[in-house]
Amino acid sequence: LSVLLVLITFGALRYELSKSKGKDTMIVAAVGTDSEVSGLPLPSKESNDLVKATLFSRTRTAAVNHAKLIVWNEGATFILPAEEMQWKDTLINIAAELKINLVASYVMPVSTTPFKYENKYLLIDSSGTIIYTYHKHQPVPGEPAIQGKETLKVLDNEGTKIGAVICYDYDFPYLARGFGKLHTDIVAVPSSEDLLIMLCFHGAKHKWERLGWVADITQLLVLSPAMDWGRVDSLARETRCARVL
């Protein structure tokens, strides 16, 4: 816990020092999902279309509020293989239109017997170019995801190098080392569980002096009906934040 506190304090000091020197900063936004896809049967087309429309609406809201990097939650929606080409075109167009860098996370079922899917994201730059397709490298034990083995890549946004992994992946140091070797400045980690722990720790650190911090947690839980509470408990214990949670 003390190490985590030191890192957060160090990051906050660096941020304030950079602002005082007039250095450019980047607003990053996390966009949650209403999707409850976790296996068979898959949600109906109508409900999934609503999930996608809501994702795009929230993405536009983040862009209007000047976010330059927008990260969707893990498994933000599901896309069938026959739909993926059109889906990619839609993501390319929205990134270019809004002039944002986008980490668009989704799952794509590839078989039903046995049930298997790709848990992936597309890293798209503000010109609408797909820089990288990443598949979850370390599926949670029991998760029917096809393991990814891609070489790590980053997006260079005017000198700021951006990478991403998915949820449980960043529990494995080799991925952090890999991004370190690429001199990555920002590593996005689409995951409701990690974000919940961070919000709880941040609020407790400041003695919950702002009601908005409680509201942030409420909103996260509303937007994450498929929260993995077993993983939340595990993360809380690993980071010694169980009491805070």
Side-chain angles (χ1 to χ4, degrees):
L1 184 59
S2 59
V3 173
L4 182 59
L5 180 60
V6 168
L7 290 173
I8 291 174
T9 303
F10 175 67
L13 288 173
R14 283 188 61 193
Y15 175 69
E16 293 299 328
L17 184 61
S18 295
K19 285 200 303 182
S20 68
K21 291 183 177 180
K23 291 186 177 180
D24 291 335
T25 57
M26 178 185 296
I27 295 177
V28 180
V31 170
T33 178
D34 296 337
S35 176
E36 298 183 22
V37 60
S38 59
L40 296 176
L42 295 173
S44 67
K45 181 180 184 303
E46 291 74 17
S47 65
N48 197 47
D49 285 346
L50 180 59
V51 166
K52 289 187 284 187
T54 304
L55 277 172
F56 291 139
S57 175
R58 291 170 181 162
T59 299
R60 290 183 183 279
T61 298
V64 167
N65 285 280
H66 311 295
K68 294 302 180 184
L69 171 61
I70 298 178
V71 183
W72 288 2
N73 207 67
E74 177 186 13
T77 186
F78 80 89
I79 301 297
L80 297 175
E83 302 170 336
E84 191 176 32
M85 190 63 69
Q86 181 179 357
W87 174 245
K88 288 182 178 180
D89 288 341
T90 301
L91 296 176
I92 286 169
N93 290 335
I94 195 169
E97 175 195 345
L98 300 177
K99 295 181 173 56
I100 56 170
N101 301 300
L102 178 63
V103 179
S105 309
Y106 60 99
V107 295
M108 186 171 74
V110 294
S111 69
T112 55
T113 309
F115 180 59
K116 291 286 185 181
Y117 59 73
E118 294 179 349
N119 188 346
K120 63 204 294 185
Y121 71 71
L122 301 182
L123 181 57
I124 307 172
D125 71 13
S126 56
S127 72
T129 300
I130 296 177
I131 302 298
Y132 186 38
T133 301
Y134 176 95
H135 296 75
K136 191 172 185 178
H137 277 47
Q138 296 292 336
V140 176
E143 179 183 1
I146 296 173
Q147 186 174 21
K149 298 183 182 296
E150 300 91 351
T151 301
L152 299 180
K153 293 183 180 180
V154 296
L155 181 161
D156 193 322
N157 181 80
E158 299 179 351
T160 298
K161 294 184 178 180
I162 302 168
V165 295
I166 297 177
C167 192
Y168 189 56
D169 286 353
Y170 230 43
D171 287 7
F172 293 80
Y174 79 91
L175 288 166
R177 286 196 299 268
F179 279 117
K181 291 177 181 178
L182 295 173
H183 305 288
T184 312
D185 298 294
I186 300 173
V187 179
V189 186
S191 167
S192 297
E193 294 81 13
D194 293 87
L195 181 56
L196 177 60
I197 298 297
M198 291 174 65
L199 290 175
C200 288
F201 178 83
H202 179 261
K205 173 176 173 281
H206 294 284
K207 299 181 180 178
W208 299 105
E209 61 187 27
R210 295 183 184 177
L211 185 59
W213 295 336
V214 179
D216 289 341
I217 293 175
T218 301
Q219 186 69 0
L220 174 63
L221 296 178
V222 169
L223 297 177
S224 306
M227 181 81 71
D228 184 344
W229 288 104
R231 185 165 188 273
V232 170
D233 180 67
S234 177
L235 281 171
R237 294 177 186 280
E238 288 174 10
T239 57
R240 298 182 181 179
C241 288
R243 184 177 180 183
V244 168
L245 177 65

